[in-house]
Amino acid sequence: MGILSVENLNKSFGKLHVLKNVSFTLETGEILGFIGPNGSGKSTTMKCIANLVFPESGKVEIAGHDLYKERSQALSHLSALIEAPGLYFNLTGIENLKVFASLRQIPRKRLEEVIEFTGLGHALKKKAGAYSMGMKQRLALAVAILPKPTFLILDEPFNGLDPQGVFELRSMIKGLAREGCGILFSSHQLIEMEKISSRNIFIKDGEIVSQEKAQADVAVLSYKLYVDRQEQDLAMLSKLKTEGLLQDFLAGESELLISLSDITHCTRVITTILADGRELRGIVPQTANIENLYSHIYEKEVL
């Protein structure tokens, strides 16, 4: 069952068309990674879903409720942590939790569960303004999950966390999903996204990019060749890259990992590598991971 449906969102700021027919869905209990460089439209999309920014056209449904026709019902299912943590920095951590619990009429038992969830211990008695970025992130996430949302938006939740904090937050996010919460989150930490996400969507220049097409492209463009290495290999591969035939390469003891800049270059590149009677013992198309997908989709931005 879907917890979120986004259809053909369009948003402009002046003459700048920021979102262009953005459409995607999120299932109950799914963790959906939302990927893109700064300025691609991620935060604007999330703000439209949270009803903080208003699109010119499009439709958003949360738990079956139209956000623009049944605002209260739709938003009752949603909690969001977008950009900076929205805390009262002149209040202590525990006072922040109590204020938000009072606003949402949260039972005391649930408040106690969330206090435990924060892992902040005695630090909850200190003013939030004195917290490190990681501590603020923990407290803000605790505020977000107070009402037991069925849909949660997290924008860069790993900011400011040390490795232990990242590990604990990853476990928390997976636990929330197991309890049936659908989670949409963005992060520039691609490896963490690969560890957490059920699936990922990519946005580029305000448009959703088909991950299936990107995966197919990367698989077609990247190969591992099993050959006997020769001294001139690095110079030869560097020349192919300079000529624009290769996007990148990596040379191991008995294999060459190559990424073509275009599938039409495949025959010429392999012929060049196998010149002088060299034997090719194997060729394996490479499975696309999140880093080479990102590199392929945002090649111009990366360069």
Side-chain angles (χ1 to χ4, degrees):
M1 177 182 176
I3 189 65
L4 172 69
S5 173
V6 178
E7 295 180 19
N8 298 318
L9 278 189
N10 283 275
K11 177 62 182 176
S12 296
F13 294 103
K15 294 182 179 180
L16 183 62
H17 196 178
V18 178
L19 301 183
K20 306 164 186 175
N21 294 314
V22 169
S23 299
F24 61 91
T25 59
L26 172 67
E27 301 300 312
T28 300
E30 182 181 30
I31 303 174
L32 180 61
F34 197 21
I35 301 174
N38 292 335
S40 59
K42 294 192 313 295
S43 291
T44 301
T45 300
M46 290 187 285
K47 287 177 180 178
C48 284
I49 296 170
N51 211 216
L52 299 173
V53 167
F54 304 100
E56 281 85 43
S57 63
K59 184 177 181 181
V60 176
E61 284 191 357
I62 301 174
H65 298 286
D66 188 311
L67 179 60
Y68 307 115
K69 296 178 181 177
E70 306 170 281
R71 182 177 182 275
S72 295
Q73 296 95 315
L75 293 180
S76 68
H77 293 270
L78 166 68
S79 282
L81 177 55
I82 300 176
E83 295 180 346
L87 302 170
Y88 293 104
F89 294 131
N90 60 321
L91 301 180
T92 66
I94 191 65
E95 286 170 343
N96 268 277
L97 288 172
K98 287 179 177 179
V99 165
F100 286 106
S102 175
L103 289 172
R104 300 295 291 267
Q105 298 181 332
I106 304 299
R108 180 164 185 79
K109 182 180 179 182
R110 175 59 180 168
L111 175 59
E112 290 172 352
E113 290 173 354
V114 171
I115 290 171
E116 181 72 20
F117 172 87
T118 67
L120 291 172
H122 293 299
L124 284 171
K125 296 180 180 179
K126 297 180 180 179
K127 288 190 176 181
Y131 283 8
S132 67
M133 186 60 188
M135 293 168 70
K136 289 173 183 174
Q137 287 289 94
R138 285 171 180 259
L139 183 59
L141 180 59
V143 169
I145 67 168
L146 266 171
K148 285 192 175 180
T150 52
F151 172 35
L152 182 62
I153 297 176
L154 299 175
D155 185 17
E156 298 294 341
F158 298 110
N159 275 356
L161 296 180
D162 59 21
Q164 182 62 28
V166 169
F167 176 79
E168 291 173 357
L169 180 55
R170 186 197 312 156
S171 178
M172 290 173 185
I173 291 174
K174 288 184 175 181
L176 291 169
R178 283 193 298 269
E179 293 173 5
C181 183
I183 301 170
L184 173 68
F185 85 107
S186 75
S187 174
H188 291 302
Q189 297 190 31
L190 298 180
I191 299 302
E192 283 306 319
M193 296 194 78
E194 192 159 46
K195 291 177 181 177
I196 295 174
S197 301
S198 310
R199 64 185 173 97
N200 297 301
I201 57 174
F202 297 80
I203 186 167
K204 180 179 181 181
D205 299 327
E207 297 181 277
I208 298 296
V209 178
S210 165
Q211 181 173 356
E212 290 74 15
K213 182 181 184 303
Q215 285 176 321
D217 288 346
V218 171
V220 165
L221 291 171
S222 298
Y223 298 90
K224 181 175 284 188
L225 308 180
Y226 292 92
V227 296
D228 291 323
R229 278 284 313 280
Q230 295 186 2
E231 289 184 6
Q232 68 268 28
D233 281 351
L234 291 180
M236 177 261 296
L237 291 168
S238 295
K239 184 173 184 292
L240 290 172
K241 185 174 180 180
T242 301
E243 292 173 355
L245 302 178
L246 288 182
Q247 180 179 320
D248 210 347
F249 65 87
L250 185 65
E253 291 184 4
S254 59
E255 72 276 340
L256 302 174
L257 182 62
I258 62 170
S259 295
L260 303 170
S261 56
D262 192 288
I263 189 59
T264 59
H265 300 149
C266 188
T267 301
R268 182 178 169 187
V269 168
I270 292 178
T271 300
T272 303
I273 292 172
L274 298 181
D276 302 323
R278 294 176 67 181
E279 181 182 353
L280 176 63
R281 297 196 303 274
I283 180 169
V284 181
Q286 296 303 286
T287 302
N289 63 30
I290 197 168
E291 285 190 331
N292 54 34
L293 275 176
Y294 188 97
S295 220
H296 174 68
I297 294 171
Y298 304 107
E299 179 181 354
K300 290 182 181 179
E301 285 87 342
V302 172
L303 295 175

